[in-house]
Amino acid sequence: MNSPRHALRWAVCALVAATAVVVPSPTSPVASVQAAPGLGAGGEFFPLTPTRIYDSRPNEPAVNEPAPGPKAATPDQPTFDIPLLGQGGVPADGSRVLAVVVNITVTSPTASGWLNAFAAGSPPATATSIINFTKGQTVPNLAIVRPGTDGKLSIRLFSSAATGSADVIVDVFGWIATSANPDRGARLVPVTPGRIYDSRCNLCPGIGQGQSVELPIRGATVGAITVPNTADVVGVVLNVTGVNTEVGSADTFVAVVPDPVAAAPRTSNLNLSKGLVKPNLVIVPVNAADGKVRLFNNTGTTHLAVDVVGYLERRPDETRAGRIVPLSAPFRVFDTREAAFGNVELGPGQAEPWSFADFVASVNIGGVAVGNQMAVIGNLTSASLRRQYASQAASSYVSVFPDQLPTGQRPATSNLNMVENVPVPNLAVVKYGASSTAWVYNFNGYAHYLFDASAVVLAD
């Protein structure tokens, strides 16, 4: 194994200049972020019934824009704004809302490119992306975003084509509170990822057209832990992978929702072309009555694998643990293609550790360190995959986990599924192991990858 890569050493000063957004209310002293009293609901999560708040496609109901249509995606990186506050159950009062969790989908792009999203009026200082797409591809990704000027979100689209365009869809799944919010929410409990469902068993037919599968979350066993079977568990964080490669597969979408499914949901989490394997992170409420979520497949037959990476639990205490602190803008933590990080691909069947200790020490609010952290949330992207043997096309998966595994033991979960020449992004909750270290495993081929941090999860 490689020694831990010190991914943040060279970047600490840059991060200090673009640090986390304040958890306390605007009138609270900065120091209160380190003390238990006075945090209130700061950094707590409020799950919402999944709701579509924006869709630029002209044949779909327009939620926020009177004249929908494809949005420009060109070398000039044009932007457009959509409202976040007051949409889909998000409070209209900006003093209560620290950030919003949305699933953003790009569809029907006329050229390859990327999408980024940020608080209106506050573009990121460094180049980051939420979605990478190729011509004609439909790509979703979960994101934690901040409302900016007038409570709006800016969406930036790039492609190399002077007349490029793409449609954009935004679904909201919850929001994160400031300490000015009068109600208490839930904390994020990151776990070592564990697979709780996989439809690819012997003779299993997969999930058919219009069918849904119920998954118990409360009381579920995830590796060495059990999710508490109480009403205080109000949501779950899942990595859902669609394997749309079987006989009977078709272009489809998959939705993860809390309630029993009577008709096709209006929101989506995965968009799957026939023959495609694709993951996406999902943050969704559990059904209040039965503690379950439902997986719905719209068309054809597909397989799904589901990994639990965390759950959301109400806690009445004033401790720091589990509070989510979004950064003021996405920050590129590392890129294995860069000389500063060795420009070394991760080989087949190999795992390597990354030390986040410098990153943890550098996150601050107004020059005051936020202190202990148990996890980081950010966009993990497969930048390239090179085949091991010239005559055999490469496909692989990448897993991120907090602690080293015994020699020869492969992770039973995945964060990314990739093939050659197609960049694949996916939001990841990276739980730290000993000394703020996380491990990355690559199954096959030679992989370059990068990580853009968007939030941290506090520890006591």
Side-chain angles (χ1 to χ4, degrees):
M1 299 297 176
N2 300 328
S3 60
R5 299 201 200 193
H6 291 282
L8 286 307
R9 233 170 229 174
W10 68 279
V12 169
C13 291
L15 186 59
V16 168
T19 58
V21 68
V22 176
V23 168
S25 63
T27 57
S28 300
V30 170
S32 68
V33 79
Q34 298 207 71
L39 287 176
E44 293 185 338
F45 185 77
F46 291 77
L48 296 171
T49 300
T51 303
R52 182 147 293 172
I53 64 170
Y54 181 79
D55 193 335
S56 70
R57 294 175 295 177
N59 295 327
E60 298 293 329
V63 179
N64 290 323
E65 188 179 41
K71 315 309 291 186
T74 71
D76 293 333
Q77 303 180 22
T79 65
F80 66 97
D81 294 348
I82 67 168
L84 276 182
L85 296 180
Q87 305 299 315
V90 177
D93 181 357
S95 69
R96 297 173 57 192
V97 180
L98 190 61
V100 181
V101 174
V102 294
N103 199 74
I104 303 176
T105 302
V106 170
T107 189
S108 303
T110 60
S112 298
W114 51 258
L115 174 147
N116 195 13
F118 48 87
S122 302
T126 57
T128 60
S129 62
I130 292 173
I131 296 172
N132 300 79
F133 53 84
T134 58
K135 181 179 179 179
Q137 189 182 33
T138 299
V139 185
N141 201 7
L142 197 70
I144 297 175
V145 296
R146 293 175 55 222
T149 305
D150 297 327
K152 293 183 177 180
L153 177 71
S154 288
I155 297 176
R156 173 177 289 166
L157 282 164
F158 165 86
S159 82
S160 57
T163 58
S165 66
D167 279 305
V168 177
I169 302 164
V170 182
D171 300 329
V172 64
F173 286 82
W175 57 283
I176 301 167
T178 68
S179 59
N181 190 65
D183 304 315
R184 299 305 299 266
R187 314 275 184 85
L188 174 59
V189 183
V191 301
T192 299
R195 183 150 294 177
I196 63 165
Y197 176 76
D198 194 333
S199 64
R200 296 170 296 175
C201 61
N202 291 333
L203 303 179
C204 288
I207 303 171
Q209 180 168 315
Q211 292 183 347
S212 62
V213 173
E214 294 185 343
L215 284 186
I217 299 301
R218 294 175 185 159
T221 298
V222 183
I225 68 103
T226 298
V227 178
N229 191 9
T230 72
D232 287 330
V233 174
V234 297
V236 66
V237 186
L238 307 170
N239 201 73
V240 180
T241 301
V243 184
N244 203 31
T245 58
E246 301 298 313
V247 174
S249 65
D251 292 353
T252 187
F253 73 83
V254 171
V256 185
V257 293
D259 303 320
V261 179
R266 288 279 303 151
T267 57
S268 62
N269 298 91
L270 279 174
N271 299 81
L272 299 168
S273 300
K274 184 177 181 179
L276 189 67
V277 179
K278 181 189 289 186
N280 200 24
L281 195 73
V282 175
I283 300 178
V284 66
V286 301
N287 182 274
D290 61 20
K292 298 178 180 179
V293 298
R294 279 80 183 171
L295 311 174
F296 172 86
N297 174 47
N298 188 59
T299 308
T301 298
T302 193
H303 282 295
L304 295 174
V306 180
D307 303 328
V308 174
V309 297
Y311 59 91
L312 297 156
E313 184 178 25
R314 285 192 297 253
R315 293 181 174 179
D317 58 65
E318 280 288 329
T319 62
R320 295 160 35 93
R323 297 176 186 270
I324 303 169
V325 183
L327 302 183
S328 58
F331 179 78
R332 180 145 296 173
V333 175
F334 61 77
D335 185 338
T336 62
R337 299 169 298 179
E338 298 291 337
F341 306 109
N343 188 22
V344 177
E345 298 162 308
L346 184 57
Q350 293 184 353
E352 63 182 353
W354 286 91
S355 171
F356 284 78
D358 290 340
F359 174 74
V360 169
S362 72
V363 178
N364 71 85
I365 296 174
V368 178
V370 301
N372 294 336
Q373 298 150 49
M374 66 174 72
V376 60
I377 303 173
N379 211 39
L380 181 69
T381 300
S382 166
S384 66
L385 180 66
R386 182 169 59 89
R387 59 182 64 182
Q388 185 176 1
Y389 305 105
S391 61
Q392 297 181 9
S395 62
S396 185
Y397 68 84
V398 163
S399 302
V400 182
F401 45 95
D403 297 302
Q404 172 65 308
L405 298 173
T407 301
Q409 181 177 327
R410 294 191 325 200
T413 59
S414 60
N415 295 84
L416 294 174
N417 297 78
M418 62 269 198
V419 296
E420 298 173 65
N421 303 317
V422 179
V424 179
N426 193 18
L427 196 70
V429 177
V430 180
K431 181 184 178 184
Y432 295 140
S435 303
S436 301
T437 295
W439 289 76
V440 178
Y441 170 85
N442 174 44
F443 173 65
N444 186 35
Y446 295 88
H448 272 307
Y449 56 96
L450 55 94
F451 184 76
D452 295 329
S454 54
V456 298
V457 184
L458 300 185
D460 287 332

